[in-house]
Structures are given as C-alpha cells and as structure tokens.
Amino acid sequence: SQTQINDYLDWGLGWGLEYSNNQKYFWHWGDGGVYKTFEIASRELGTGVVILTNSQNGLKICPEIVSTVMSGDHFAFDFEMIEY
C-alpha cells in the first residue's frame, strides 16, 4: 500500500518512492538530532547511495552527492518533511 504525494513521489511502507528520469527509485531519510542520513537507490539500475552525516545541516550536501552518483532530477529533495 502507498500514498501518492504528487506526480513524482509516493510514500510506501516506510520508504519514499520516486518516479523520475524514466526510472523508479526508493529513498529514505533519517534524523537523529545531530546525525542525519539519506538513502536512495534504483533496483532496475542496480545502483544507490547512502549518506551519513554528523551535522544538523548535513543533508544540504545530499543533492550534490546524489546527482554525482545518479544523474537527473531527484524530487525526493523537494519532500517537505526533510529538513535541511
């Protein structure tokens, strides 16, 4: 079961689902106070990235890292719950 957030994002069973660049991605983010995490991967492409930070504003670097590893637009960064 999933909930549609917009044309590009759904929320699944604890994971975000992103549809962009003619691909499907699954992603998640974490907030442990001063520790922040972000993960995104594509099963079809067989690639993904996990980012672990030790800063309250550590997620600010995620779009740059993800675009280096997986080109294209990633709408997960527009999700309003992610605090940069």
Side-chain angles (χ1 to χ4, degrees):
S1 173
Q2 62 193 38
T3 301
Q4 185 174 11
I5 297 170
N6 58 38
D7 290 339
Y8 305 102
L9 298 174
D10 292 342
W11 195 252
L13 298 173
W15 286 85
L17 306 171
E18 178 186 87
Y19 307 96
S20 61
N21 313 310
N22 295 316
Q23 297 293 327
K24 296 178 192 174
Y25 300 90
F26 56 96
W27 60 276
H28 201 286
W29 67 283
D31 183 344
V34 296
Y35 302 102
K36 309 287 184 181
T37 65
F38 184 83
E39 307 81 38
I40 188 167
S42 168
R43 186 172 163 186
E44 290 83 10
L45 296 174
T47 189
V49 62
V50 175
I51 302 165
L52 308 172
T53 73
N54 61 352
S55 171
Q56 288 182 336
N57 61 1
L59 293 181
K60 289 181 179 182
I61 192 69
C62 291
E64 183 178 342
I65 293 171
V66 170
S67 68
T68 300
V69 175
M70 294 184 274
S71 62
D73 296 321
H74 292 281
F75 301 101
F77 298 114
D78 297 335
F79 189 55
E80 63 189 43
M81 289 184 63
I82 299 176
E83 294 182 23
Y84 296 99

